[in-house]
Amino acid sequence: MRRSFFFAENEVDKMKKVKNNILTIEEAEKVSGVHYTLRHTGKMAGMMSLSTSCTMNKNCLYRSKNPKTVCSHCYAQRQLKIYKTLEKCLIKNTEILTGRVLEDRELPIINALYFRLESFGDLNNTTQVINYFNLCKKNKNVRFALWTKNLWLIESVLNAGVKKPSNLQIIYSLPILNDKNETIFAWYPFVDKVFTVFTKDYIKENNIEINCGAESCLKCAKCYKKNNVKYINEQLK
């Protein structure tokens, strides 16, 4: 009887947390089914993120066939081939985040200074954009950054009257290697920064300043802050 009582009490506590919208990430995963990546490696060590799978994104798959694109050298695809459990979680994320708008009670309170949106995939549709916006708005003290090549999806949401979260930095990830696009801010004024990947030879020949990759994201954080750095340049791995 005592064991049954404690089980019932724990279940009541869980229901209260959902009702009061104070879910931790671990608790939110159980409620919504969405997986948050909390154990990154390499330069992303110590960071948290929420992602979908590039293997399910039609735009990612299309671009990966073009040798002139950074997508043809996709690091995320290589990672997912190695870590099958992660791939399974990100596929499920894609299905959930693009299939419906999560309720506020399903979104966690994130205990972090910086948080990345899309480290393994990209935006698929406007439903996913709205889910990310809502996560940012619920966590006003967290600095979010979203990497995407599909700016028209964000534009569609903004044109529908949804306001961009003030704590979100939108980073346009240029699909073409060695592309120095200087007009993107005029085309899409909601973009905060441009991320470009350059080849080693192009860097040397054009004296490109590389300001990404030398230190960890957690220590650098230039992508997550509102500052004068508009162009983030990385060397192709």
Side-chain angles (χ1 to χ4, degrees), residues 46-59:
M47 297 290 293
M48 299 180 182
S49 72
L50 175 58
S51 301
T52 53
S53 174
C54 57
T55 63
M56 292 187 69
N57 190 303
K58 63 180 181 180
N59 291 301

Side-chain angles (χ1 to χ4, degrees), residues 53 80 83-93 95:
S53 174
L80 297 186
Y83 301 104
K84 292 297 183 181
T85 301
L86 175 60
E87 180 184 27
K88 183 178 179 180
C89 289
L90 296 184
I91 288 173
K92 185 178 179 181
N93 278 5
E95 294 170 347

